[in-house]
Amino acid sequence: MKDLLVQFWRTRVPRERFVLAGGSALLVLALGFAYAWLPMQRDVAQLRQALPQLRAQARQLQQDAQEVARLKAQPAVIRETGSLVHAVEQRALATGLRERIESITPQDAGHVRVLLPQVAFDTWIVWIGELQASHGVRVESARIEATAAAGMVRVDAVLVGG
């Protein structure tokens, strides 16, 4: 194959060699432009467009890391003693949520099931946060369904003592 190309090149007059070389150079430049330069420029434009969002995500991650460090530095919360059912009952009475609770059922040592047929979602979240802060209670599982009323949910949750 190489011999054929060399023979072809040698049989051409200088003017034909010049035209073939110039055409080949233009073809290489056109292919380089189409398959290298244009895709790189498109990628650069996409990266420039994505950069502000990525910077915002980086700032948020830094803020989250600072929050984690702040929370880790806080002293441990002294937990109130007593049974989990009693703790759930007392916190519900203190927050005015007791009348919304349909049942508080002990499951086994350290687990209790709480059923609230209709409660404001914000109230539920605040109550769980207070239980966690004061008694170390956490939600092991929960089924939360929206009700017909705006902002109200039905909650069936299993809580675990801390």
Side-chain angles (χ1 to χ4, degrees):
M1 178 76 173
K2 182 180 176 185
D3 291 335
L4 286 174
L5 287 174
V6 170
Q7 182 183 0
F8 174 79
W9 184 257
R10 287 184 180 160
T11 60
R12 301 295 134 209
V13 293
R15 184 176 177 104
E16 286 179 339
R17 288 181 189 174
F18 179 75
V19 170
L20 286 173
S24 297
L26 285 175
L27 181 63
V28 167
L29 287 174
L31 290 174
F33 183 77
Y35 290 105
W37 182 257
L38 288 177
M40 284 191 307
Q41 290 302 310
R42 184 180 58 245
D43 291 345
V44 166
Q46 288 175 347
L47 290 173
R48 282 188 180 138
Q49 186 178 12
L51 188 61
Q53 180 184 3
L54 293 173
R55 284 185 175 153
Q57 287 175 349
R59 279 192 303 273
Q60 184 62 45
L61 284 173
Q62 288 174 344
Q63 289 173 354
D64 291 347
Q66 290 172 354
E67 179 68 9
V68 166
R70 185 187 67 79
L71 291 173
K72 281 184 177 180
Q74 287 182 345
V77 176
I78 298 173
R79 312 261 187 235
E80 297 174 11
T81 58
S83 74
L84 181 58
V85 174
H86 179 72
V88 169
E89 184 85 29
Q90 291 302 322
R91 185 53 49 193
L93 285 170
T95 58
L97 194 61
R98 182 59 184 113
E99 62 273 1
R100 297 251 183 219
I101 297 176
E102 183 176 298
S103 66
I104 301 174
T105 311
Q107 301 261 305
D108 58 26
H111 290 79
V112 64
R113 182 175 180 211
V114 180
L115 181 62
L116 297 99
Q118 188 165 357
V119 64
F121 183 75
D122 293 341
T123 305
W124 157 254
I125 293 297
V126 168
W127 180 62
I128 289 298
E130 290 175 358
L131 273 171
Q132 182 180 11
S134 64
H135 299 289
V137 173
R138 63 181 172 81
V139 178
E140 183 175 75
S141 66
R143 181 177 175 101
I144 302 174
E145 300 171 346
T147 63
M152 302 299 278
V153 293
R154 179 183 190 280
V155 178
D156 184 358
V158 175
L159 307 177
V160 179

